[in-house]
Amino acid sequence: KEKIKCLEHVLLIDPDDGDVWFDLGDIHYENSNDKANYCWKIATKCYTKRLERFKEDAIKYRKNSNHLLFMDVSSANVLDEISSKMFSLASAYYNLDKYSLSAQYYLKSCEINSKSIDSLYYASRAFYELEQFDDAIKYVKQYIEKTDGYKSHYHLGLCYWKSNQIFLAQESFWECIEKTHNDATSHYYKSLSFHALGSKKHEELFLKKAIRADANNIEYKYDLIKFYEENNDSKNAQKYYNKIHKSKKGSKNRE
């Protein structure tokens, strides 16, 4: 609630701040899809308006490069900012399930600034949602060439699986497992990979490890509950439901 108040106060000062609208959408998403989508839609308008101003400045600068108010849009700093705004616009479109526009702007962000390599990964995820698996594979492989992380190998595995390249998918899931570390997120991705590989024993083991490493992460607990429910283990499913209920009750009391 305090975060929402702070962000809304910022919007009173500058209602065209796309980043604030984006963050506000993220916070509202926990409780209201409608409010979140409203904020992300406004964020897209703000980012688009800002990018239009860059175009206008480029035209003005070409006409009068000595004018102090017009930006040199070919300078590194300005190009970085344009790339950043395109990345944010792409992310807002992704949250709104507009995956075609999302992929388009992620790739534009990378085209303008080659250092924006995360754009390749997220463009791949957008293509995955569009079920354009060849493009999804193409861009995540480009991303892996530049930064070889376990999350990207897991995503590549999903892309291969969806395109019926089962052996390559299995290779990618094992690659993900081998590149993980000893933190909660790594354990979680190991669990996801073992699920894809069909090893229920290891899926459960690493989900439990993820929960021990990050006891406040409710998503991990819900995934473990889902695992137990799918395997007809109602006793353990109820055990983790009780843990979630207890933690929520304790949180309310602290408030």
Side-chain angles (χ1 to χ4, degrees):
K1 288 179 181 178
E2 290 303 316
K3 284 181 180 178
I4 290 171
K5 283 181 184 177
C6 290
L7 291 171
E8 287 177 344
H9 182 71
V10 174
L11 290 174
L12 291 174
I13 301 166
D14 182 5
D16 291 329
D17 192 321
D19 292 338
V20 176
W21 281 109
F22 189 97
D23 290 346
L24 201 54
D26 280 352
I27 296 170
H28 279 307
Y29 184 68
E30 287 186 29
N31 300 307
S32 172
N33 281 349
D34 289 341
K35 285 183 179 178
N37 287 337
Y38 173 79
C39 293
W40 289 326
K41 282 177 185 176
I42 295 182
T44 63
K45 291 177 182 177
C46 294
Y47 291 134
T48 302
K49 190 187 293 185
R50 183 75 182 109
L51 290 168
E52 286 297 326
R53 285 206 296 270
F54 280 121
K55 285 184 184 178
E56 291 168 7
D57 276 347
I59 293 167
K60 291 173 183 175
Y61 184 83
R62 279 197 291 268
K63 289 180 179 177
N64 184 2
S65 59
N66 294 319
H67 199 297
L68 295 176
L69 294 178
F70 303 151
M71 287 185 291
D72 178 5
V73 293
S74 63
S75 68
N77 288 341
V78 178
L79 287 174
D80 284 351
E81 189 179 348
I82 293 171
S83 173
S84 174
K85 289 289 179 269
M86 285 186 170
F87 184 94
S88 298
L89 178 58
S91 300
Y93 277 133
Y94 188 94
N95 289 350
L96 291 166
D97 299 337
K98 295 185 176 182
Y99 301 116
S100 183
L101 285 168
S102 176
Q104 176 186 327
Y105 281 102
Y106 277 131
L107 293 178
K108 280 186 178 182
S109 173
C110 191
E111 184 183 334
I112 290 169
N113 180 8
S114 59
K115 293 179 183 176
S116 181
I117 55 174
D118 285 350
S119 297
L120 295 170
Y121 173 72
Y122 289 109
S124 174
R125 288 184 56 174
F127 282 120
Y128 179 87
E129 295 294 341
L130 291 165
E131 298 187 358
Q132 296 178 18
F133 301 118
D134 288 344
D135 283 327
I137 290 167
K138 172 185 173 181
Y139 289 110
V140 75
K141 286 176 80 173
Q142 287 182 19
Y143 176 75
I144 288 170
E145 286 175 10
K146 298 174 185 293
T147 174
D148 194 12
Y150 61 87
K151 291 182 183 180
S152 52
H153 283 283
Y154 174 73
H155 175 65
L156 180 58
L158 293 179
C159 295
Y160 278 136
W161 189 272
K162 285 287 190 178
S163 57
N164 293 316
Q165 299 181 67
I166 306 304
F167 180 73
L168 290 174
Q170 290 174 332
E171 277 192 336
S172 296
F173 292 134
W174 278 114
E175 195 73 24
C176 169
I177 291 164
E178 289 172 9
K179 291 185 181 298
T180 51
H181 310 294
N182 199 33
D183 57 279
T185 308
S186 289
H187 293 320
Y188 182 65
Y189 270 82
K190 281 180 190 173
S191 173
L192 292 174
S193 295
F194 278 119
H195 171 78
L197 291 164
S199 176
K200 292 181 180 180
K201 178 182 175 182
H202 289 93
E203 179 186 355
E204 178 189 13
L205 171 67
F206 286 104
L207 257 180
K208 284 183 171 180
K209 283 191 173 188
I211 291 167
R212 282 198 293 271
D214 184 2
N216 294 322
N217 193 310
I218 290 179
E219 283 185 30
Y220 296 165
K221 291 174 185 173
Y222 276 123
D223 274 12
L224 188 55
I225 288 167
K226 183 181 177 184
F227 170 83
Y228 286 131
E229 288 178 339
E230 287 175 349
N231 289 281
N232 299 314
D233 188 345
S234 57
K235 183 179 177 181
N236 273 316
Q238 188 59 50
K239 174 184 170 183
Y240 279 91
Y241 269 125
N242 291 339
K243 286 186 178 184
I244 291 171
H245 178 71
K246 189 176 178 181
S247 66
K248 284 185 176 179
K249 192 174 178 182
S251 175
K252 276 189 177 180
N253 290 336
R254 284 193 293 274
E255 287 174 8

